[in-house]
Amino acid sequence: MGWLKEALDALGQMGPRGGLERFAASINEDWIEEALSATGTASVRRRKFPAEQAVWLVLGMALYSERSIKTVLDHLGLVLVGDRQIAPSALSKARYRLGSEPIRWLFERVAAAWSNTPGVGDYRGLSVHGIDGTHLRVADSDENFEHFGKPGGRAGEGDAGYPQLRLVALMNLSNRLLSAVRAGPFSESEQTLVKTLWSEIPDNSITILDRGFYSYMSLLELVGNAENRHFLIRLKSDAPFEEVKKLADGSILALIRPPKRLVSQDPTLPGPIEVRIISYQHDGGERCRIATSLVDHVEFT
């Protein structure tokens, strides 16, 4: 596995030492081969630029996105001994053969190993996570345009310079590492993408949500079918809830009821979600409110 050590050493020489040394020390050298085997993309025959090296090229391009592909390639030394020259077309073909699945598999394997740090930065025995969404530009190819689409520009719908994808991510806030990611076309909403992320949140946790994820079904899916899984979310000014009583610390015990249309569609819904509403105001700012499923104001002050 000498090529792996050489690639890691070269990565460390290209940039800041601390972070890359930690990266090199933390990654298991078998994961790349496992990713290729699990997705059926390992090189069957010895190529000038085999799949293992294509993976490292993609990782190097991600870590050093401001540098040219050739610069990354040359510095990593990702060519076979005795063949120090490689045509640019060979790189494109190697990346095309590789595809996205090995990188997806590798990310999920690394995330599972790195993002789970029990006891680090917990809040009263609960691991702390966050979910938010964003959008990213992707390469301006016909295939990407067909799959992801483009947002509107000056000339109207779909006129932006690059195709863009919609992305929602789950982060372990104790160590700032991503635990899971879902991506889709730009036209797909964050609320739709996040539906498959709820199951990735561990039990005995609290997850901080952007206020755009506020809905009865989202909160129900987060806390449902889980053990001691909680949320904290900032409320929009018009967010509906039913006040039950004021608590001794000034917060409010409240209910978030399912909309009538959802009840008519599914009468088996479990009913209202009990929450605690907490108001706060920063100096010079507007009064804001958050809702949390941690309703015990004594234990969770």
Side-chain angles (χ1 to χ4, degrees):
M1 216 36 99
W3 61 266
L4 175 62
K5 184 178 185 306
E6 292 175 4
L8 289 172
D9 290 344
L11 283 173
Q13 294 167 11
M14 280 185 78
R17 297 293 302 177
L20 286 169
E21 286 176 352
R22 186 174 182 181
F23 175 84
S26 300
I27 196 167
N28 186 318
E29 60 185 29
D30 294 330
W31 289 346
I32 291 178
E33 285 198 352
E34 290 177 14
L36 295 171
S37 297
T39 57
T41 47
S43 294
V44 176
R45 61 187 176 87
R46 195 61 171 167
R47 300 177 181 273
K48 289 185 176 181
F49 202 74
E52 295 91 341
Q53 295 190 356
V55 170
W56 276 105
L57 177 63
V58 172
L59 294 179
M61 290 166 58
L63 289 168
Y64 299 102
S65 58
E66 79 284 358
R67 306 193 185 195
S68 69
I69 297 177
K70 187 176 186 308
T71 299
V72 175
L73 177 77
D74 290 346
H75 201 96
L76 294 180
L78 294 179
V79 287
L80 298 181
V81 176
D83 186 4
R84 302 307 298 176
Q85 300 296 322
I86 186 166
S89 59
L91 300 181
S92 299
K93 291 177 181 178
R95 291 171 60 199
Y96 185 82
R97 286 195 305 269
L98 181 67
S100 61
E101 287 308 310
I103 303 301
R104 182 200 299 271
W105 191 99
L106 185 61
F107 165 76
E108 291 174 352
R109 183 66 182 84
V110 168
W114 292 1
S115 65
N116 184 23
T117 53
V120 178
D122 288 358
Y123 172 68
R124 307 202 176 188
L126 301 174
S127 59
V128 184
H129 304 265
I131 285 181
D132 206 351
T134 187
H135 51 88
L136 299 172
R137 292 191 303 177
V138 294
D140 191 11
S141 67
D142 292 341
E143 187 177 22
N144 280 340
F145 175 73
E146 187 70 24
H147 181 74
F148 294 112
K150 295 181 180 181
R154 292 182 179 179
E157 185 177 350
D159 185 57
Y162 288 85
Q164 295 188 27
L165 61 79
R166 187 82 64 184
L167 180 146
V168 177
L170 171 68
M171 176 177 280
N172 183 329
L173 296 180
S174 301
N175 55 26
R176 301 297 181 91
L177 291 175
L178 293 180
S179 303
V181 169
R182 299 291 186 269
F186 186 81
S187 59
E188 194 165 1
S189 70
E190 294 177 2
Q191 290 76 12
T192 300
L193 285 172
V194 79
K195 288 180 179 296
T196 59
L197 268 186
W198 302 132
S199 61
E200 303 288 346
I201 302 173
D203 294 338
N204 301 303
S205 63
I206 181 169
T207 300
I208 299 172
L209 300 167
D210 180 84
R211 64 181 181 175
F213 295 109
Y214 179 86
S215 75
Y216 171 82
M217 286 306 302
S218 287
L219 300 180
L220 181 65
E221 289 166 353
L222 191 157
V223 299
N225 300 319
E227 181 179 345
N228 202 30
R229 202 160 68 183
H230 296 277
F231 62 81
L232 184 147
I233 184 168
R234 189 160 67 95
L235 296 179
K236 297 178 181 180
S237 59
D238 59 350
F241 61 85
E242 178 184 324
E243 182 175 333
V244 176
K245 67 176 181 179
K246 290 188 177 180
L247 302 174
D249 68 342
S251 61
I252 297 170
L253 190 66
L255 300 175
I256 298 175
R257 294 191 177 276
K260 292 181 179 179
R261 62 175 180 81
L262 291 181
V263 176
S264 63
Q265 294 170 3
D266 184 4
T268 65
L269 286 173
I273 301 170
E274 190 176 49
V275 296
R276 188 163 141 233
I277 308 294
I278 303 167
S279 298
Y280 66 95
Q281 185 173 12
H282 295 297
D283 291 341
E286 298 180 357
R287 180 166 293 278
C288 299
R289 298 172 303 175
I290 56 175
T292 180
S293 55
L294 298 174
V295 296
D296 190 331
H297 70 283
V298 176
E299 182 178 1
F300 302 103
T301 57

